[in-house]
Amino acid sequence: ERIVRYHQVVSDALSLELRDVGDSCELHFRLPPGGSLPAPEAIDAFAAIYVRTCRNRLGRSYAPLAVHLRRPPPADPQPWLEAFRAPVHFAAAEDVLCFARADLDRPLDDGNPELAAHNEAVLRKRLDALQPDTVSRRLRRALEQCLPNGEPSAEVLAHGLHLSLRSLQRHLSEEGSSYEQVLAETR
């Protein structure tokens, strides 16, 4: 789930979707809107990296249930079979890794909740930086700085953002938000 949430920090070539399918989970590699299909070797590399990540966490002998790749069948599939240690289906409709749900639900022996919380905060901040800089985001940053000293007025913050109060309200409305909403979310 974290890999899916934070994949865009690593690459914008693909987006990921994790689907719960009963006793298994499927990790789908999707093209972002307007994106072009990466080379088959790039898809192979992404799939191998995620399987290797599972091996690092779950043990060196870990193998997914199956691997589905859109790439045409190679003359010699042995390198893929050795890398994934699982059935590999070429010329598939989608690029998908299939995992046993029980494997993904298993607690990590060396899990560290404090480190996980720190990493989550760092990644959230990085993802936020990748988003467009909207008036709502600018207002939130200003509120985060001001709130420890008391609640500032919308007019004071608008001035700090080099906007009139009316312009601030208009921009927020265009973004589907309001000063009160951003204030409540920031609190």
Side-chain angles (χ1 to χ4, degrees):
E1 290 169 346
R2 283 189 177 126
I3 285 172
V4 169
R5 283 198 316 269
Y6 300 119
H7 175 79
Q8 63 184 306
V9 170
V10 177
S11 172
D12 62 358
L14 294 171
S15 61
L16 302 178
E17 178 188 353
L18 187 64
R19 288 188 194 163
D20 187 0
V21 187
D23 291 340
S24 65
C25 290
E26 297 176 346
L27 184 63
H28 292 254
F29 296 10
R30 301 257 187 245
L31 290 178
S36 58
L37 186 63
E41 295 81 7
I43 301 293
D44 295 346
F46 276 116
I49 286 167
Y50 290 128
V51 169
R52 185 176 182 124
T53 299
C54 290
R55 287 185 182 137
N56 287 339
R57 308 307 311 146
L58 301 173
R60 294 179 65 124
S61 63
Y62 180 78
L65 296 175
V67 177
H68 300 266
L69 299 171
R70 282 191 272 199
R71 72 161 30 255
D76 179 14
Q78 197 57 38
W80 284 264
L81 296 171
E82 289 174 6
F84 294 114
R85 300 182 210 147
V88 180
H89 307 280
F90 296 101
E94 295 183 80
D95 297 306
V96 181
L97 294 175
C98 300
F99 301 102
R101 169 162 274 308
D103 291 336
L104 299 186
D105 285 342
R106 198 167 63 193
L108 299 175
D109 293 336
D110 60 350
N112 182 325
E114 293 84 17
L115 183 58
H118 171 74
N119 288 341
E120 285 280 327
V122 169
L123 286 167
R124 268 194 309 271
K125 191 177 227 178
R126 179 68 186 126
L127 269 181
D128 192 47
L130 292 173
Q131 302 302 317
D133 197 26
T134 62
V135 171
S136 298
R137 290 180 185 282
R138 291 173 47 212
L139 177 60
R140 180 183 307 273
R141 286 193 302 267
L143 281 165
E144 287 171 352
Q145 290 179 351
C146 295
L147 278 175
N149 301 320
E151 186 176 308
S153 70
E155 194 166 26
V156 166
L157 285 174
H159 180 71
L161 296 173
H162 307 290
L163 297 169
S164 68
L165 177 57
R166 194 172 164 107
S167 290
L168 175 65
Q169 292 168 337
R170 183 175 37 80
H171 285 295
L172 291 173
S173 178
E174 288 170 0
E175 294 173 12
S177 190
S178 68
Y179 176 80
E180 293 75 20
Q181 184 179 349
V182 175
L183 176 63
E185 290 169 356
T186 305
R187 272 198 205 118

